[in-house]
Amino acid sequence: MFDITAFGEILIDYTPAGKSRAGMDLFEQNPGGAPANLLACASKLGSRTSFIGKVGADTQGKFLKKTLENAGISTIGLIEDSRYFTTMAFVSLRSTGERSFAFARKPGADTQMTAEEVDFSLISKSRILHFGSLSLTDSPSRETTFAVIEKGREAGCLISYDPNVRLMLWPSREAAREQVRRVLPYVDIMKLSEEEAELLTDLEAPEEAAEKLLAKGVRLVAVTLGKDGAYVAMKGKQVRVPGHSVEVVDTTGAGDAFWGAFLHKLIEKMKKGNWEQMELEDLKGLAEFANAAAACCVRKRGGIPAMPKLREIERLLEGRD
């Protein structure tokens, strides 16, 4: 039995690492990709996880497979395909730690996963099925995403969604809006940023956006607010939880750390009974734990390498770090 199975992209983030003696930019190879980052966080915290996706049969792909294995994530569902290169993203960091991306993905292996290649037995054995929107940008991965979601619903999985929108990967903002909204009728729980909340609902205020998503049938919505924490809502329960003041090195993976930690704690509630019956204080506790995970993440470079361990989160929550 897996606690979380994620479908989607795993890729290489090339992040800035100073200058060479000749003054040229140096880049550090870091494993990343939002679904993989999330699993790495949950796995470090003790959840049983598996990944479904595709990499190239190349140096980067082998590195990513080994990275997943080292993180305790099952790679049974990872396909290595010699016809395509592993997707790469070149990250630019501002002085604040905020980042922008340039992708080498025309096509990247992650967009070429077909439904016939998916090991659906992994989904049948999972409590939560998670996916994002990068798999919706191209065919055949777009069609495969819907096949994966349908199998998750048949298996009784809780369907988790993080849009993680990268507009440069879409032909237009309108195309992105259309596709990221198409999956909402199938979603049980979701995490999104303030900017994504507006894209999905046409509403800027997190409270109003969350209310609209709940009205559409989503059962739990978490809107991340950067350094200001997060707003989390369910029917009849809403809470805004402040973030932590830490030195920011790199915000890559912060949202993934938040949601990976949140899902890890939510699974504990699921194992005890109907998670939708938890009290407001329980919901607040999940958000506080997730905020601390995100704060720990931004103090390091990269995606998967920056995912925090339990003791790091606990130290921050206890005020000892």
Side-chain angles (χ1 to χ4, degrees):
M1 188 74 182
F2 294 106
D3 295 311
I4 309 168
T5 290
F7 170 74
E9 74 279 3
I10 183 168
L11 48 83
I12 300 292
D13 284 328
Y14 284 103
T15 54
K19 300 278 187 180
S20 69
R21 290 182 179 180
M24 298 293 104
D25 290 333
L26 297 176
F27 288 86
E28 182 177 68
Q29 181 189 41
N30 280 304
N37 290 342
L38 178 149
L39 292 181
C41 180
S43 181
K44 279 190 176 182
L45 298 176
S47 291
R48 296 188 63 193
T49 62
S50 68
F51 179 79
I52 299 173
K54 180 177 282 193
V55 294
D58 48 31
T59 302
Q60 288 86 356
K62 297 183 188 308
F63 167 66
L64 289 173
K65 182 178 182 181
K66 188 65 175 177
T67 298
L68 291 178
E69 292 170 345
N70 289 343
I73 301 166
S74 171
T75 58
I76 294 172
L78 181 67
I79 302 294
E80 297 176 83
D81 194 328
S82 61
R83 296 172 295 172
Y84 308 102
F85 286 109
T86 299
T87 299
M88 296 179 286
F90 293 87
V91 185
S92 297
L93 293 177
R94 304 184 185 94
S95 59
T96 59
E98 293 296 326
R99 76 271 190 234
S100 59
F101 297 86
F103 287 86
R105 191 182 186 237
K106 299 187 181 208
D110 69 292
T111 69
Q112 300 303 304
M113 186 86 169
T114 66
E116 291 73 24
E117 294 172 306
V118 174
D119 185 343
F120 287 109
S121 69
L122 297 172
I123 299 171
S124 300
K125 300 173 185 175
S126 302
R127 289 187 171 90
I128 294 177
L129 172 67
H130 175 79
F131 72 103
S133 75
L134 265 68
S135 61
L136 299 172
T137 59
D138 297 274
S139 294
S141 62
R142 179 182 299 155
E143 293 76 16
T144 305
T145 302
F146 281 94
V148 164
I149 294 170
E150 184 59 36
K151 184 62 178 181
R153 287 164 61 86
E154 290 176 5
C157 298
L158 196 67
I159 308 298
S160 165
Y161 178 42
D162 174 8
N164 189 40
V165 177
R166 298 287 178 260
L167 287 175
M168 74 286 293
L169 294 176
W170 296 89
S172 67
R173 183 179 178 86
E174 290 69 29
R177 180 188 289 112
E178 177 186 356
Q179 292 298 330
V180 299
R181 292 183 180 189
R182 276 186 65 198
V183 297
L184 288 177
Y186 311 100
V187 173
D188 295 310
I189 57 177
M190 65 183 298
K191 187 277 293 180
L192 66 169
S193 68
E194 289 181 275
E195 295 79 9
E196 290 161 350
E198 192 278 330
L199 186 70
L200 271 79
T201 66
D202 299 318
L203 298 169
E204 293 185 3
E207 295 84 355
E208 294 178 359
E211 183 177 350
K212 185 170 183 177
L213 290 167
L214 292 174
K216 287 181 175 293
V218 182
R219 295 152 70 184
L220 183 152
V221 178
V223 183
T224 53
L225 309 172
K227 62 181 177 59
D228 295 323
Y231 175 79
V232 186
M234 299 170 61
K235 286 285 180 66
K237 305 182 187 78
Q238 305 85 30
V239 62
R240 183 183 284 257
V241 180
H244 297 266
S245 179
V246 297
E247 182 180 354
V248 178
V249 174
D250 180 2
T251 58
T252 302
D256 308 322
F258 175 94
W259 200 230
F262 194 100
L263 294 185
H264 171 74
K265 282 295 186 180
L266 182 62
I267 288 164
E268 293 180 1
K269 301 295 182 185
M270 292 172 65
K271 291 177 179 178
K272 294 178 181 178
N274 186 351
W275 62 272
E276 291 184 273
Q277 298 301 316
M278 63 178 161
E279 301 294 331
L280 181 61
E281 280 302 308
D282 295 322
L283 185 63
K284 180 181 178 182
L286 265 63
E288 288 174 338
F289 185 82
N291 275 343
C296 290
C297 174
V298 301
R299 296 189 294 191
K300 304 173 186 177
R301 281 195 176 89
I304 290 177
M307 294 299 118
K309 295 180 180 179
L310 179 60
R311 64 175 177 270
E312 296 176 68
I313 299 173
E314 290 176 338
R315 284 180 62 86
L316 187 60
L317 287 172
E318 294 165 3
R320 295 188 289 120
D321 194 2

